[in-house]
Coordinates of all heavy atoms in Angstrom, one line a residue:
Chain J
M527 N 11.1 -27.1 -11.1 CA 11.6 -25.8 -11.4 C 13.1 -25.8 -11.7 O 13.6 -25.1 -12.5 CB 11.3 -24.8 -10.3 CG 9.9 -24.3 -10.3 SD 9.2 -23.6 -11.8 CE 8.7 -25.1 -12.7
Q548 N 9.9 -19.5 -20.0 CA 8.7 -19.5 -20.9 C 7.5 -19.9 -20.1 O 7.5 -20.9 -19.4 CB 8.9 -20.4 -22.1 CG 8.0 -20.1 -23.2 CD 6.9 -21.1 -23.4 OE1 7.2 -22.3 -23.5 NE2 5.7 -20.6 -23.6
N550 N 3.1 -20.0 -19.9 CA 1.9 -20.0 -20.7 C 0.8 -19.2 -19.9 O 0.3 -19.6 -18.9 CB 1.4 -21.4 -20.9 CG 2.1 -22.0 -22.1 OD1 2.4 -21.4 -23.0 ND2 2.4 -23.3 -21.9
H555 N -6.8 -18.8 -17.8 CA -6.1 -17.9 -16.9 C -7.2 -16.8 -16.7 O -7.9 -16.4 -17.6 CB -4.9 -17.3 -17.6 CG -4.1 -16.4 -16.7 ND1 -4.4 -15.1 -16.5 CD2 -3.0 -16.6 -16.0 CE1 -3.5 -14.6 -15.7 NE2 -2.6 -15.5 -15.4
P556 N -7.3 -16.3 -15.4 CA -8.3 -15.4 -15.1 C -8.2 -14.0 -15.8 O -9.2 -13.3 -15.9 CB -8.2 -15.1 -13.6 CG -7.0 -15.9 -13.2 CD -6.5 -16.7 -14.2
A557 N -7.1 -13.7 -16.4 CA -7.0 -12.3 -16.9 C -7.0 -12.3 -18.4 O -6.7 -11.3 -19.0 CB -5.8 -11.6 -16.4
A568 N 9.8 -14.6 -20.2 CA 10.0 -13.6 -19.2 C 11.4 -13.7 -18.6 O 11.9 -14.8 -18.4 CB 9.0 -13.8 -18.1
G570 N 12.8 -12.8 -15.3 CA 12.3 -12.3 -14.1 C 10.8 -11.8 -14.2 O 10.0 -12.6 -14.7
E571 N 10.6 -10.6 -13.8 CA 9.2 -10.1 -13.9 C 9.0 -9.4 -15.3 O 8.0 -8.8 -15.5 CB 9.0 -9.1 -12.8 CG 8.7 -9.7 -11.5 CD 7.3 -10.1 -11.2 OE1 6.4 -9.6 -12.0 OE2 7.0 -10.8 -10.3
D660 N -8.9 -6.9 -13.5 CA -7.5 -7.3 -13.9 C -6.5 -6.6 -13.0 O -5.4 -7.1 -12.8 CB -7.3 -6.9 -15.3 CG -8.0 -7.8 -16.3 OD1 -8.4 -8.9 -15.8 OD2 -8.1 -7.4 -17.4
L661 N -6.8 -5.4 -12.6 CA -5.8 -4.6 -11.8 C -6.0 -4.8 -10.3 O -5.5 -4.1 -9.5 CB -5.9 -3.1 -12.2 CG -5.6 -2.8 -13.6 CD1 -5.8 -1.4 -13.9 CD2 -4.2 -3.2 -13.9
T665 N -14.3 -4.2 -6.5 CA -15.6 -3.6 -6.3 C -16.2 -2.9 -7.5 O -17.4 -3.0 -7.8 CB -15.6 -2.7 -5.0 OG1 -15.1 -3.5 -3.9 CG2 -16.9 -2.1 -4.7
F668 N -18.5 -5.0 -9.7 CA -19.8 -5.2 -9.3 C -20.7 -4.0 -9.5 O -21.9 -4.2 -9.9 CB -19.9 -5.6 -7.8 CG -19.4 -7.0 -7.5 CD1 -18.1 -7.2 -7.3 CD2 -20.3 -8.0 -7.6 CE1 -17.7 -8.5 -7.0 CE2 -19.9 -9.3 -7.4 CZ -18.6 -9.6 -7.1
Y669 N -20.1 -2.8 -9.4 CA -20.9 -1.6 -9.7 C -21.2 -1.6 -11.2 O -22.4 -1.2 -11.6 CB -20.1 -0.4 -9.3 CG -20.1 -0.2 -7.8 CD1 -20.1 -1.2 -6.9 CD2 -20.2 1.1 -7.2 CE1 -20.1 -1.1 -5.6 CE2 -20.3 1.3 -5.9 CZ -20.2 0.2 -5.0 OH -20.2 0.4 -3.7
N737 N -1.5 5.0 -11.6 CA -0.1 4.5 -11.6 C 0.1 3.2 -12.4 O 1.1 3.0 -12.9 CB 0.4 4.4 -10.2 CG 1.0 5.6 -9.7 OD1 1.5 6.5 -10.5 ND2 1.0 5.8 -8.4
R738 N -1.0 2.4 -12.3 CA -0.9 1.1 -13.0 C -1.1 1.2 -14.5 O -0.8 0.4 -15.3 CB -1.9 0.1 -12.4 CG -1.6 -0.5 -11.1 CD -0.3 -1.4 -11.2 NE -0.4 -2.4 -12.2 CZ -1.0 -3.5 -12.0 NH1 -1.5 -3.9 -10.8 NH2 -1.0 -4.4 -12.9
D895 N 1.9 -5.4 -15.8 CA 1.6 -4.5 -16.9 C 1.0 -5.4 -18.1 O 0.1 -4.9 -18.8 CB 2.8 -3.8 -17.4 CG 3.3 -2.8 -16.5 OD1 2.5 -2.4 -15.6 OD2 4.4 -2.4 -16.6
Chain T
F1345 N -20.0 -3.7 0.5 CA -19.3 -2.8 -0.4 C -19.8 -2.9 -1.9 O -19.8 -1.9 -2.6 CB -17.8 -3.0 -0.4 CG -17.1 -2.7 0.9 CD1 -16.0 -3.4 1.3 CD2 -17.7 -1.8 1.8 CE1 -15.4 -3.1 2.5 CE2 -17.1 -1.5 3.0 CZ -16.0 -2.2 3.4
Q1346 N -20.2 -4.1 -2.2 CA -20.5 -4.4 -3.6 C -22.0 -4.6 -3.8 O -22.4 -5.1 -4.9 CB -19.8 -5.7 -4.0 CG -18.3 -5.5 -3.9 CD -17.5 -6.8 -4.0 OE1 -18.1 -7.8 -3.9 NE2 -16.2 -6.7 -4.1
R1348 N -24.2 -6.4 -2.6 CA -24.7 -7.8 -2.7 C -25.1 -8.2 -1.3 O -25.1 -7.4 -0.4 CB -23.5 -8.8 -3.1 CG -22.9 -8.5 -4.4 CD -21.8 -9.6 -4.7 NE -20.6 -9.4 -3.9 CZ -20.1 -10.2 -3.1 NH1 -20.7 -11.4 -2.9 NH2 -19.0 -10.0 -2.5
N1441 N 6.3 -27.1 -8.4 CA 6.7 -27.3 -9.8 C 5.8 -26.6 -10.8 O 5.4 -27.2 -11.8 CB 6.9 -28.8 -10.1 CG 7.7 -29.0 -11.3 OD1 8.4 -28.1 -11.8 ND2 7.6 -30.1 -11.9
K1443 N 5.2 -22.8 -12.7 CA 5.9 -21.5 -12.8 C 5.1 -20.4 -12.2 O 5.7 -19.4 -11.6 CB 6.0 -21.2 -14.3 CG 7.0 -22.2 -15.0 CD 7.0 -22.0 -16.5 CE 7.9 -23.1 -17.1 NZ 7.8 -23.1 -18.5
W1444 N 3.8 -20.4 -12.2 CA 3.0 -19.4 -11.5 C 3.3 -19.4 -10.0 O 3.4 -18.3 -9.4 CB 1.5 -19.6 -11.7 CG 1.1 -19.6 -13.2 CD1 0.8 -20.7 -13.9 CD2 1.1 -18.4 -14.0 NE1 0.5 -20.3 -15.2 CE2 0.7 -18.9 -15.3 CE3 1.4 -17.1 -13.9 CZ2 0.6 -18.1 -16.4 CZ3 1.3 -16.3 -14.9 CH2 0.9 -16.7 -16.2
Y1447 N 6.6 -17.9 -9.3 CA 6.5 -16.4 -9.3 C 6.0 -15.9 -8.0 O 6.5 -14.9 -7.4 CB 5.6 -15.9 -10.5 CG 6.4 -15.6 -11.7 CD1 6.5 -16.5 -12.8 CD2 7.0 -14.4 -11.8 CE1 7.3 -16.2 -13.9 CE2 7.8 -14.0 -13.0 CZ 7.8 -14.9 -14.0 OH 8.6 -14.6 -15.0
R1451 N 8.0 -13.5 -5.4 CA 7.4 -12.3 -5.0 C 7.2 -12.1 -3.5 O 7.5 -11.1 -2.9 CB 6.1 -12.1 -5.7 CG 6.1 -11.6 -7.1 CD 4.8 -11.4 -7.6 NE 4.7 -10.9 -9.0 CZ 3.6 -10.5 -9.6 NH1 2.5 -10.5 -9.0 NH2 3.7 -10.0 -10.9
E1537 N -4.5 -12.6 -8.1 CA -5.4 -13.5 -8.8 C -5.3 -13.3 -10.4 O -5.1 -14.2 -11.1 CB -6.8 -13.4 -8.4 CG -7.7 -14.5 -8.9 CD -9.1 -14.2 -8.9 OE1 -9.5 -13.3 -8.1 OE2 -9.9 -14.8 -9.6
S1538 N -5.3 -12.1 -10.8 CA -5.4 -11.8 -12.2 C -4.1 -12.0 -12.9 O -4.0 -12.1 -14.1 CB -6.0 -10.5 -12.5 OG -5.3 -9.5 -11.8
E1539 N -3.0 -12.0 -12.1 CA -1.7 -12.1 -12.7 C -1.2 -13.5 -12.6 O -0.8 -14.1 -13.6 CB -0.7 -11.1 -12.0 CG -1.0 -9.7 -12.3 CD -0.3 -8.7 -11.4 OE1 0.8 -9.1 -11.0 OE2 -0.8 -7.6 -11.2
W1618 N -11.1 -4.4 -0.5 CA -12.2 -4.3 -1.5 C -12.4 -2.9 -2.1 O -13.3 -2.7 -2.8 CB -13.5 -4.8 -0.8 CG -13.3 -6.2 -0.4 CD1 -13.1 -6.7 0.8 CD2 -13.3 -7.4 -1.3 NE1 -13.0 -8.1 0.8 CE2 -13.1 -8.5 -0.4 CE3 -13.5 -7.6 -2.7 CZ2 -13.0 -9.8 -0.9 CZ3 -13.4 -8.8 -3.2 CH2 -13.1 -9.9 -2.3
L1620 N -9.2 -0.9 -3.1 CA -8.1 -0.4 -3.9 C -7.7 -1.5 -4.9 O -7.7 -2.7 -4.7 CB -6.9 -0.2 -2.9 CG -7.1 0.9 -1.9 CD1 -5.9 1.0 -1.0 CD2 -7.3 2.2 -2.6
P1621 N -7.2 -0.9 -6.1 CA -6.5 -1.9 -7.0 C -5.2 -2.3 -6.5 O -4.7 -1.8 -5.4 CB -6.3 -0.9 -8.3 CG -7.1 0.2 -8.0 CD -7.3 0.4 -6.6
R1622 N -4.6 -3.2 -7.2 CA -3.3 -3.8 -6.7 C -2.1 -3.0 -7.3 O -2.2 -2.5 -8.4 CB -3.3 -5.2 -7.2 CG -2.0 -6.0 -6.8 CD -2.1 -7.3 -7.4 NE -3.3 -8.0 -7.1 CZ -4.2 -8.5 -8.0 NH1 -4.0 -8.4 -9.2 NH2 -5.2 -9.1 -7.6
R1624 N 1.7 -2.6 -8.7 CA 2.7 -3.5 -9.5 C 3.8 -3.9 -8.6 O 4.1 -3.3 -7.6 CB 3.1 -2.7 -10.7 CG 3.4 -3.5 -11.9 CD 4.2 -2.8 -12.9 NE 3.6 -1.4 -13.2 CZ 4.3 -0.4 -13.4 NH1 5.7 -0.4 -13.3 NH2 3.8 0.8 -13.6
Q1627 N 6.3 -1.3 -8.0 CA 5.8 -0.2 -7.1 C 5.8 -0.6 -5.6 O 5.9 0.2 -4.7 CB 4.4 0.2 -7.6 CG 4.4 0.9 -8.9 CD 3.0 1.0 -9.6 OE1 2.1 0.3 -9.1 NE2 2.9 1.9 -10.6

Side-chain angles (χ1 to χ4, degrees):
Chain J
M527 279 311 78
Q548 199 250 311
N550 280 321
H555 186 279
E571 284 273 347
D660 284 346
L661 297 176
T665 303
F668 285 90
Y669 284 36
N737 271 335
R738 284 295 306 275
D895 292 341
Chain T
F1345 295 148
Q1346 298 166 349
R1348 298 182 286 120
N1441 193 19
K1443 292 171 187 174
W1444 301 108
Y1447 264 100
R1451 280 183 175 190
E1537 192 202 337
S1538 54
E1539 293 165 27
W1618 297 103
L1620 295 176
R1622 181 183 305 121
R1624 210 194 313 141
Q1627 289 167 346

